Amino acid sequence: MSANEASMPEISNNLAFNEEDYEEIWVVIMSTKGEYELSKNQARIVQEALARGERGAIVFNSFAIPIPYIAEFYRKSRFLKNTKQLPERATEAPYIPLSPEQMQKIREGIYKKLGKPMLKAK
């Protein structure tokens, strides 16, 4: 054991808190002056996209965050779960697009209602 290791305090595996016991509110401020409050899970999605260097947008059910226009991104507060209610926007899951099979069924239904034949894809 080196001198540095001996002087460092031992960290117990039985910490007084668990990361899963906490919720966070994150804020994204856009260069267009838009402001979005995000939950911890939504913030992780934004962080991963930023870390990968993506240049598109992150789409949630009722809003989208275009990555190139993010001016500020920071954690506003942290609290124990079930002690505070998150904003409605901060609790929605990311948007998951329909599968190609589902889209095909929707298109067929629309063409049937319009009384027109389906156009064949080239």
Side-chain angles (χ1 to χ4, degrees):
M1 182 181 302
S2 71
N4 285 343
E5 290 175 351
S7 66
M8 293 179 66
E10 185 176 327
I11 298 175
S12 171
N13 287 335
N14 298 327
L15 296 175
F17 67 92
N18 182 359
E19 188 65 31
E20 296 301 316
D21 294 338
Y22 288 89
E23 187 57 75
E24 301 169 345
I25 295 179
W26 288 75
V27 176
V28 175
I29 299 177
M30 310 302 292
S31 61
T32 58
K33 307 297 184 228
E35 185 173 320
Y36 301 97
E37 286 189 344
L38 306 176
S39 68
K40 179 169 59 173
N41 292 336
Q42 290 173 325
R44 297 297 179 262
I45 293 169
V46 173
Q47 287 173 339
E48 289 172 7
L50 291 170
R52 286 192 304 263
E54 292 183 13
R55 302 294 300 158
I58 301 164
V59 181
F60 295 97
N61 286 335
S62 65
F63 66 101
I65 298 175
I67 295 172
Y69 296 101
I70 294 176
E72 294 183 46
F73 179 55
Y74 60 92
R75 184 172 69 189
K76 181 178 177 180
S77 64
R78 184 172 193 218
F79 50 90
L80 282 170
K81 283 186 178 178
N82 301 322
T83 59
K84 184 176 177 182
Q85 182 68 34
L86 288 171
E88 186 177 332
R89 262 190 178 173
T91 57
E92 65 183 43
Y95 172 75
I96 299 172
L98 295 174
S99 69
E101 295 83 20
Q102 290 174 318
M103 279 304 298
Q104 184 62 26
K105 287 180 184 177
I106 291 171
R107 282 188 197 104
E108 288 171 359
I110 291 171
Y111 276 96
K112 186 176 180 181
K113 287 179 184 178
L114 293 173
K116 295 191 174 199
M118 279 287 292
L119 301 174
K120 301 291 181 189
K122 293 182 180 182

